[in-house]
Amino acid sequence: KQNYIIVLTVTKVACDNYVFKKPLATSQKNQVHLFTVDGCVYDWASATSAQQIALLVAEGIEYLDALTANGESIDDVAPRLQFRIAVDTNFFFQIAKLRAFRQVWANVIAEYKPQHNCTHNAFVQAQSSSASLSSIDEITNLLRLTTMGASAAM
C-alpha cells in the first residue's frame, strides 16, 4: 500500500508541473504515451490477478482525475496512458487477466463519457514476470518466456 500512495503523490505533482505546458500537435496526441501505470510492482509483491487489475484501474483513475482536473478532455488524456502488466506462465489465467483488464478499463472510460469511440482502448505493455524464471536452466526459461509471450499476444 505504501508504494501505491507514493505513486499517486508523484502523479499529481507531475500532472500539475510540466506535462501539459506544451500541447502536442493533433497528429501526435495518440502516439505519445506520457504516463505509465506500472502493474509489475504488484506482481512482484505477490498480488493475485484480481488485485493487480484492481490496483491498475485505481491508479489509472487517479491519473485520469488529476489530468482532467487540469482542463484536459478525456479524449486527450486516456490515449496518453500506458499500462504495464506482468504475465507469468499460467497461460489461460494470463489471457483472462488481460481481457478482464481491458473490459474493466473500457467500463471506466465509458463513465467519463468520451466523444470518440477509440478512447476506450487501453495501451497495454505485457512484461514477463521474473519470478517465474530459473537462474540455473536457460532452456526452461526459454519455454517459460514463450508461454508468457503467447498468452500476452492472445
Side-chain angles (χ1 to χ4, degrees):
K1 291 185 179 181
Q2 291 176 347
N3 290 338
Y4 181 64
I5 293 170
I6 291 169
V7 169
L8 294 180
T9 305
V10 171
T11 301
K12 291 183 180 176
V13 170
C15 294
D16 291 338
N17 288 338
Y18 80 97
V19 176
F20 291 108
K21 300 294 184 197
K22 184 178 178 186
L24 294 172
T26 307
S27 62
Q28 296 175 333
K29 280 189 178 181
N30 293 333
Q31 298 172 0
V32 177
H33 301 284
L34 295 177
F35 298 101
T36 300
V37 181
D38 192 4
C40 295
V41 294
Y42 306 124
D43 181 64
W44 298 331
S46 301
T48 65
S49 293
Q51 290 170 337
Q52 289 178 39
I53 292 171
L55 291 168
L56 275 169
V57 169
E59 193 172 336
I61 290 171
E62 284 292 322
Y63 275 105
L64 291 179
D65 289 342
L67 294 170
T68 54
N70 285 344
E72 292 289 323
S73 72
I74 189 67
D75 294 313
D76 291 336
V77 171
R80 293 182 184 181
L81 291 178
Q82 170 183 328
F83 296 91
R84 275 181 63 209
I85 300 176
V87 292
D88 60 21
T89 56
N90 200 341
F91 188 71
F92 292 109
F93 280 112
Q94 298 311 305
I95 293 172
K97 176 171 77 172
L98 291 169
R99 291 186 69 183
F101 171 74
R102 287 181 185 269
Q103 183 62 44
V104 170
W105 187 249
N107 291 340
V108 166
I109 294 297
E111 292 299 318
Y112 284 88
K113 298 181 180 32
Q115 299 294 323
H116 302 292
N117 214 9
C118 61
T119 306
H120 294 81
N121 298 335
F123 184 83
V124 177
Q125 175 191 359
Q127 180 176 344
S128 57
S129 175
S130 58
S132 301
L133 300 179
S134 169
S135 61
I136 299 171
D137 192 8
E138 295 87 16
I139 302 299
T140 302
N141 286 342
L142 182 64
L143 294 173
R144 289 177 181 170
L145 290 169
T146 302
T147 304
M148 292 178 203
S151 65
M154 292 186 185

